[in-house]
Amino acid sequence: MTLQPTPARRMTKQRLAVQQELERHDDFRTAQEIHACLGNHGDSVSLATVYRLLQQASEDGELDVMRMPDGESGFRRCVVAHHHHHLVCRSCGATEEVQAPEVEAWAAAVADRFGYTQVGHTVELSGLCAKCSLATTR
């Protein structure tokens, strides 16, 4: 998925550099990791600008955001455009995007029971992928 700026967001050199960096990776990356990679590729983008562009892209639904084990937010390009959840390997960071209609129904029922509307939610599952599980049993 290519990041498309909203009508209010123009395509700047910095936005393009962050977009290209996100396209180089399939895993979740922190703003600091993205900033370091940009510098390694010769792109001059301040860390504050990286944070701002990642926040804007996430608000626009262009990026998945996940809390990393160290508490930082990790970002990656959305593979699917609709609401979804993640199953993440705690060892290697491999990520599967999963649909969870049971979770959606549960969230809607809980919101309804308490009279809430426009409710959002985030579900993150973590474990060891098959490859990492096999490596730990050797």
Side-chain angles (χ1 to χ4, degrees):
M1 167 181 274
T2 300
L3 301 180
Q4 297 296 322
T6 63
R9 303 192 203 281
R10 61 186 184 89
M11 184 57 78
T12 63
K13 182 178 112 177
Q14 294 86 354
R15 187 180 305 277
L16 182 60
V18 169
Q19 174 184 318
Q20 290 171 338
E21 184 57 38
L22 288 164
E23 289 173 354
R24 287 194 259 283
H25 305 280
D26 291 329
D27 58 341
F28 285 90
R29 299 285 173 126
T30 66
Q32 291 89 351
E33 290 171 326
I34 293 166
H35 179 257
C37 288
L38 287 167
N40 292 340
H41 289 105
D43 293 309
S44 179
V45 182
S46 74
L47 182 57
T49 298
V50 170
Y51 272 109
R52 180 177 51 77
L53 292 172
L54 292 171
Q55 181 63 37
Q56 288 174 350
S58 116
E59 289 170 359
D60 294 345
E62 299 166 347
L63 298 178
D64 287 326
V65 183
M66 184 173 58
R67 183 79 45 212
M68 305 299 277
D70 64 0
E72 283 284 326
S73 291
F75 301 88
R76 79 168 189 178
R77 292 176 302 119
C78 287
V79 177
V80 296
H82 57 277
H83 180 73
H84 58 277
H85 305 284
H86 300 105
L87 175 59
V88 182
C89 179
R90 287 188 302 261
S91 181
C92 71
T95 305
E96 301 294 333
E97 294 186 346
V98 295
Q99 305 306 307
E102 307 85 5
V103 171
E104 306 309 321
W106 172 80
V110 169
D112 188 54
R113 181 171 16 141
F114 290 98
Y116 280 62
T117 63
Q118 300 180 24
V119 173
H121 63 273
T122 302
V123 176
E124 297 172 5
L125 304 168
S126 64
L128 293 179
C129 69
K131 181 178 166 187
C132 292
S133 291
L134 183 60
T136 61
T137 60
R138 290 183 181 169

